[in-house]
Amino acid sequence: MPTETVVIIGSGIVGKSWAMLFASAGHQVRLYDSFPQALEAAPQFITEKLKSLEAKGQLRGKLSAVEQIALITYKNDLKEALKGATYIQECTPERLEIKSGVFQDLNKALAEIGNDKAIIGSSTSTIMPSKFIADLDMRKRSVVVHPVNPPYFVRLVEIIPTPSTDPTVTAYVRQLLADLGQKPIVMNKELPGFALNRVQYAILNEMWRLVNDGVLSVEDADTVMTEGLAPRYCFIGPLETAQLNAEGFVDYCERYGDAIYDVSVTQTEIPKMTADGSKEIDRQLQEKVPNSELPARRAWRDENLAQLAVFKKNLGIL
Ligand SMILES: NC(=O)c1ccc[n+]([C@@H]2O[C@H](COP(=O)([O-])OP(=O)(O)OC[C@H]3O[C@@H](n4cnc5c(N)ncnc54)[C@H](O)[C@@H]3O)[C@@H](O)[C@H]2O)c1
C-alpha cells in the first residue's frame, strides 16, 4: 500500500477520528482547522485516545500508538497543509454554505500551489455532493466519503461520486479505504439520505409508529432490534438473511412476498418526527438513560463497538 499524504480539513469529532484511522495505516496525516482553539485541543485528545486504545488492545493497524501519534501533524495554514497532499478528507460542519465555501477555498488553494492531483472526499452526511462540487475545477477529483460515527469502530463508508467524478477516482478512494480496514460501498447514483440513512429512516419511522400508536413501549421497540434483527445483521445483511430463511431468495419471495406486501401497504403513511410529537418517546428513553448521562452512555457504546470489532476480527469475518 503506497503511503499517502492525507490532509483532514476540520478537527472536530469526525476529523480527529479520520486522522487516527489514516495514521493507523501508516499514512502521513495533517490535521487542519480554521479555528485555532479547535486545533489546540486535538493533539492531547488524539494522544490520549490512541494510548488508551493501545492499553486496551483495541489499537488499529500494525504501528504502536507512539508511531501513529508521530505521523499526525497539526496545521492552521491551509496552503502549507495542502502542499504535496495526495488525499484530502473534508470534515467541516454540516451546512451547505460552509461546505461550498470550504470546497471553493480548497479549489483555489490547490490551484495556487499547483496541486492538480489531490483527491478530495467530503464527510457530509446529508448534502448531495453535486450541490457543492459540480462547478469546481476539481470536480473530477471530488466525491462524498461518508463515514459512520465512530468510524474507528464502525467500518462502513459510503462513497458517492457525482456525474462529474472520474471513475478512477472513485476506484482509488474505495481501495484507499479498504486498505485502512474500512468497508467502503459505492452508490451508483446520488440519492437523498445516501444508503445508510435511507434504511435508518425507514426503521425510525416504524419505531415512531409502533410507540406513538401505543403498540410497544420504547424499551420493547428497541429490543426488537437489539435482540431480534441486530444479532444477525452484525454478520449477514437483510438480503442474505432472507436467502438463509428459505431455500434461497426466490423461494423466500414465493413464500413471504405476499405477506411482506400486505404489511408494507399499512406502512405508507410517513410520520413527521417533530419535537412536540417526540415527548413520550423522550420521557421513556430518559427513564432508562437521563440526558445528563449521555457522555457516559456514548463511551459505553463505543467500548461495546470496540469489543464487537475485536470479536469479529477473531472470528476472521472483519
Ligand atoms: N458526528 C457524526 O456523527 C458524523 C458522522 C458522519 C459524518 N459526519 C459529518 O462529518 C462532518 C463533520 O462533523 P463533526 O461532527 O466532526 O463536526 P464538528 O462540529 O465536531 O467539527 C467541525 C470542525 O470543523 C471546523 N471548521 C469549521 N469551519 C471550518 C473551515 N472553514 N475550515 C476548516 N475547519 C473548519 C470546526 O472548528 C470544527 O473543529 C459533517 O459534515 C458531518 O455531517 C458526522
Side-chain angles (χ1 to χ4, degrees), residues 213-235:
D213 289 355
V215 179
L216 290 179
S217 64
V218 164
E219 175 83 24
D220 285 357
D222 272 351
T223 303
V224 168
M225 186 57 72
T226 57
E227 299 299 328
L229 293 171
R232 292 186 300 210
Y233 289 175
C234 278
F235 304 97

Side-chain angles (χ1 to χ4, degrees), residues 199-246:
V199 174
Q200 176 163 245
Y201 296 164
I203 293 169
L204 277 174
N205 281 337
E206 188 53 32
M207 292 287 162
W208 179 276
R209 272 191 290 262
L210 287 170
V211 177
N212 285 341
D213 289 355
V215 179
L216 290 179
S217 64
V218 164
E219 175 83 24
D220 285 357
D222 272 351
T223 303
V224 168
M225 186 57 72
T226 57
E227 299 299 328
L229 293 171
R232 292 186 300 210
Y233 289 175
C234 278
F235 304 97
I236 48 172
L239 294 172
E240 191 180 345
T241 295
Q243 182 194 21
L244 296 184
N245 280 353

Side-chain angles (χ1 to χ4, degrees), residues 11-14 33-35 91-94 99 102 123-125 147 149:
S11 63
I13 300 170
V14 165
D33 203 295
S34 57
F35 290 88
C91 309
T92 60
E94 188 70 356
K99 301 278 185 213
V102 168
S123 299
T124 181
S125 314
N149 197 40

Side-chain angles (χ1 to χ4, degrees), residues 50-67:
L50 288 176
K51 287 190 172 166
S52 128
L53 286 165
E54 185 172 57
K56 290 189 281 186
Q58 294 166 356
L59 189 70
R60 289 183 56 171
K62 297 196 171 81
L63 302 174
S64 69
V66 168
E67 287 168 323

